[in-house]
Amino acid sequence: QVAKGGGDARMLLDQTPRGFGAYVRQQLKQLAQVDEVRRQREVQELFALLSVARGALSAEDVEALTELTVWDLQALPWQVTRWFTMREKEDTTTYAFAHSLLADEFERALGRQAQKASERLLDYCARWQEHGSPYALQHYAGHLLEAKRYDELYVLARDRAFLQTQVGTLTNEPYAPLYTLQAALE
């Protein structure tokens, strides 16, 4: 586009950061200049949350974890949504970074904010009985393993109610209880 407009493409390339991590950090700086992102802490939290999530989060999960409303999610600016994959799944929309490497780089770039989001997400998963979130049922064990909370993971793997709820809720994931047990054994 720069060349078509008569601009200097070489100069633009010289200004382009080297490496994917540097590119993401540059893009994060540009995102911070977008009014809708800078003024809305919940949108910032959405980036942090999705950077540490182990899979797609439903709109209900996002609303519970970020205080964004359905209105806010519908009105996310393109500067935000360009990084995500949003899919209509059954009766909800799911949100995830467009690629796991992108999520990893945003997690690194967001630093402490991503760590806090990870803690919040783990706490949310721990309350699976309250909200019955399929995300929590599918990924709670993985979050515990990643956080090195082995005692809690072992207790979870022995929790018959959790395993039975996984079977009943995650009908398209018949091996979910097995993954929970494998995580505990690991």
Side-chain angles (χ1 to χ4, degrees):
Q1 286 180 348
V2 169
K4 285 180 182 178
D8 185 1
R10 285 183 187 219
M11 186 175 76
L12 180 65
L13 285 173
D14 288 340
Q15 294 173 353
T16 302
R18 307 235 187 267
F20 191 54
Y23 169 74
V24 167
R25 287 189 299 278
Q26 179 198 49
Q27 293 298 307
L28 184 60
K29 286 179 185 177
Q30 289 179 1
L31 268 169
Q33 302 306 310
V34 176
D35 283 340
E36 293 96 331
V37 176
R38 189 177 64 249
R39 284 183 287 151
Q40 233 181 334
R41 182 111 182 124
E42 296 87 358
V43 174
Q44 297 170 23
E45 291 300 317
L46 176 63
F47 267 90
L49 183 65
L50 293 181
S51 77
V52 297
R54 300 177 61 86
L57 290 167
S58 70
E60 293 79 14
D61 293 332
V62 170
E63 289 175 33
L65 287 158
T66 65
E67 297 182 17
L68 287 167
T69 68
V70 67
W71 295 93
D72 298 326
L73 291 172
Q74 293 295 318
L76 289 171
W78 70 267
Q79 295 95 331
V80 170
T81 59
R82 68 179 278 230
W83 300 101
F84 304 145
T85 300
M86 294 169 287
R87 291 197 169 97
E88 291 296 323
K89 192 175 183 182
E90 296 170 17
D91 61 345
T92 190
T93 303
T94 61
Y95 298 82
F97 263 100
H99 195 280
S100 61
L101 294 176
L102 191 56
D104 292 343
E105 287 302 328
F106 266 96
E107 180 181 3
R108 279 191 268 290
L110 292 171
R112 183 69 186 132
Q113 187 178 15
Q115 290 174 347
K116 288 180 180 179
S118 183
E119 293 164 10
R120 220 173 36 259
L121 188 53
L122 183 56
D123 179 58
Y124 181 72
C125 289
R127 293 180 285 111
W128 62 270
Q129 290 171 311
E130 292 174 26
H131 49 69
S133 165
Y135 177 89
L137 293 167
Q138 185 174 5
H139 297 289
Y140 185 25
H143 281 291
L144 286 172
L145 181 62
E146 190 174 288
K148 299 180 180 173
R149 292 167 68 170
Y150 305 121
D151 291 339
E152 292 172 64
L153 177 55
Y154 186 69
V155 168
L156 181 69
R158 296 187 66 201
D159 185 339
R160 288 189 191 280
F162 180 79
L163 299 174
Q164 288 173 345
T165 304
Q166 279 184 311
V167 169
T169 303
L170 305 174
T171 55
N172 293 333
E173 308 268 344
Y175 296 110
L178 178 60
Y179 296 140
T180 299
L181 296 173
Q182 284 176 327
L185 290 173
E186 189 176 313

